[in-house]
Amino acid sequence: MKNITVCIGSGCHVKGSRQIIEILQRLIVEEQLETEVELEACFCRNKCTEGVVVHIDGQVFTGVSPENADELFRETIGGKGR
Ligand code: FES
């Protein structure tokens, strides 16, 4: 099981964490990875200036945006777009 955790603290929220969660949710369904990928939200990770902060299996990714969330998913989780 892979884990994706998106920061929804106020700093990341204003940078689009809600949209990022929606994009990731859609990709998980599209790729039929519901049983393999767990999506969670977390509070501030103290990297607000580098947000949005996303953890994938313990690895930290900063500067995630609704524009590059798709690419991050493809690179880390995979799926048809690989
Ligand atoms: S709000 Fe996301 S790191 Fe602070």
Side-chain angles (χ1 to χ4, degrees), residues 7-13 43-48 51-53:
C7 175
I8 54 162
S10 53
C12 290
H13 177 78
F43 293 112
C44 184
R45 295 292 178 113
N46 298 316
K47 289 181 187 288
C48 315
V52 174
V53 179

Short mmCIF file of all heavy atoms in Angstrom, two decimals, residues 7-13 43-48 51-53, ligand 1:
data_model
loop_
_atom_site.label_atom_id
_atom_site.label_comp_id
_atom_site.label_asym_id
_atom_site.label_seq_id
_atom_site.Cartn_x
_atom_site.Cartn_y
_atom_site.Cartn_z
N CYS A 7 -0.51 18.19 2.63
CA CYS A 7 -0.66 19.17 3.70
C CYS A 7 -1.85 20.08 3.40
O CYS A 7 -1.96 20.63 2.30
CB CYS A 7 0.61 20.00 3.83
SG CYS A 7 0.44 21.32 5.04
N ILE A 8 -2.73 20.21 4.38
CA ILE A 8 -3.88 21.10 4.20
C ILE A 8 -3.84 22.24 5.23
O ILE A 8 -4.85 22.86 5.53
CB ILE A 8 -5.24 20.36 4.29
CG1 ILE A 8 -5.33 19.55 5.60
CG2 ILE A 8 -5.46 19.46 3.10
CD1 ILE A 8 -6.74 19.14 5.97
N GLY A 9 -2.63 22.50 5.74
CA GLY A 9 -2.46 23.66 6.62
C GLY A 9 -2.78 24.93 5.83
O GLY A 9 -2.86 24.89 4.60
N SER A 10 -2.94 26.05 6.52
CA SER A 10 -3.42 27.25 5.82
C SER A 10 -2.48 27.70 4.71
O SER A 10 -2.91 28.14 3.65
CB SER A 10 -3.72 28.37 6.81
OG SER A 10 -2.59 28.58 7.61
N GLY A 11 -1.15 27.60 4.95
CA GLY A 11 -0.19 28.02 3.93
C GLY A 11 -0.33 27.20 2.65
O GLY A 11 -0.28 27.74 1.54
N CYS A 12 -0.49 25.91 2.79
CA CYS A 12 -0.63 25.04 1.61
C CYS A 12 -2.04 25.13 1.04
O CYS A 12 -2.23 25.03 -0.18
CB CYS A 12 -0.30 23.60 1.98
SG CYS A 12 1.46 23.37 2.31
N HIS A 13 -3.01 25.36 1.90
CA HIS A 13 -4.39 25.48 1.43
C HIS A 13 -4.52 26.60 0.39
O HIS A 13 -5.11 26.41 -0.66
CB HIS A 13 -5.34 25.73 2.60
CG HIS A 13 -6.75 25.93 2.19
ND1 HIS A 13 -7.57 24.88 1.83
CD2 HIS A 13 -7.48 27.06 2.02
CE1 HIS A 13 -8.75 25.37 1.47
NE2 HIS A 13 -8.72 26.68 1.58
N PHE A 43 -1.83 18.31 8.73
CA PHE A 43 -1.70 19.72 9.04
C PHE A 43 -0.26 20.16 8.78
O PHE A 43 0.56 19.38 8.35
CB PHE A 43 -2.19 19.99 10.46
CG PHE A 43 -3.68 19.78 10.58
CD1 PHE A 43 -4.19 18.73 11.32
CD2 PHE A 43 -4.56 20.58 9.87
CE1 PHE A 43 -5.56 18.51 11.40
CE2 PHE A 43 -5.93 20.36 9.93
CZ PHE A 43 -6.43 19.32 10.70
N CYS A 44 -0.02 21.41 9.03
CA CYS A 44 1.24 22.08 8.66
C CYS A 44 2.49 21.26 8.97
O CYS A 44 2.65 20.73 10.06
CB CYS A 44 1.31 23.43 9.34
SG CYS A 44 2.76 24.36 8.86
N ARG A 45 3.37 21.19 7.97
CA ARG A 45 4.63 20.47 8.11
C ARG A 45 5.80 21.44 8.25
O ARG A 45 6.95 21.08 7.98
CB ARG A 45 4.84 19.55 6.90
CG ARG A 45 3.82 18.44 6.78
CD ARG A 45 3.99 17.43 7.91
NE ARG A 45 3.00 16.38 7.86
CZ ARG A 45 3.31 15.11 7.61
NH1 ARG A 45 4.52 14.75 7.30
NH2 ARG A 45 2.36 14.21 7.64
N ASN A 46 5.50 22.67 8.56
CA ASN A 46 6.52 23.70 8.76
C ASN A 46 7.38 23.99 7.53
O ASN A 46 8.55 24.32 7.65
CB ASN A 46 7.41 23.36 9.96
CG ASN A 46 6.61 23.30 11.24
OD1 ASN A 46 5.77 24.17 11.49
ND2 ASN A 46 6.82 22.27 12.02
N LYS A 47 6.79 23.80 6.38
CA LYS A 47 7.49 24.15 5.14
C LYS A 47 6.58 25.02 4.29
O LYS A 47 6.57 24.93 3.06
CB LYS A 47 7.85 22.89 4.35
CG LYS A 47 8.95 22.05 4.95
CD LYS A 47 9.21 20.85 4.05
CE LYS A 47 10.18 19.86 4.64
NZ LYS A 47 11.55 20.31 4.67
N CYS A 48 5.79 25.85 4.95
CA CYS A 48 4.74 26.61 4.28
C CYS A 48 5.23 27.39 3.07
O CYS A 48 4.54 27.49 2.07
CB CYS A 48 4.08 27.58 5.25
SG CYS A 48 3.70 26.82 6.82
N GLY A 51 5.31 25.24 -0.01
CA GLY A 51 4.12 24.44 -0.30
C GLY A 51 3.72 24.45 -1.76
O GLY A 51 4.24 25.23 -2.54
N VAL A 52 2.87 23.62 -2.12
CA VAL A 52 2.21 22.64 -1.26
C VAL A 52 3.14 21.46 -0.95
O VAL A 52 3.84 20.98 -1.85
CB VAL A 52 0.90 22.15 -1.93
CG1 VAL A 52 0.26 21.02 -1.14
CG2 VAL A 52 -0.08 23.29 -2.13
N VAL A 53 3.11 21.01 0.29
CA VAL A 53 3.95 19.91 0.71
C VAL A 53 3.17 18.59 0.60
O VAL A 53 2.07 18.47 1.12
CB VAL A 53 4.44 20.12 2.16
CG1 VAL A 53 5.31 18.97 2.62
CG2 VAL A 53 5.18 21.44 2.28
S1 FES B 1 0.77 24.79 5.66
FE1 FES B 1 1.69 23.19 4.57
S2 FES B 1 3.67 23.18 5.38
FE2 FES B 1 2.71 24.72 6.52
#
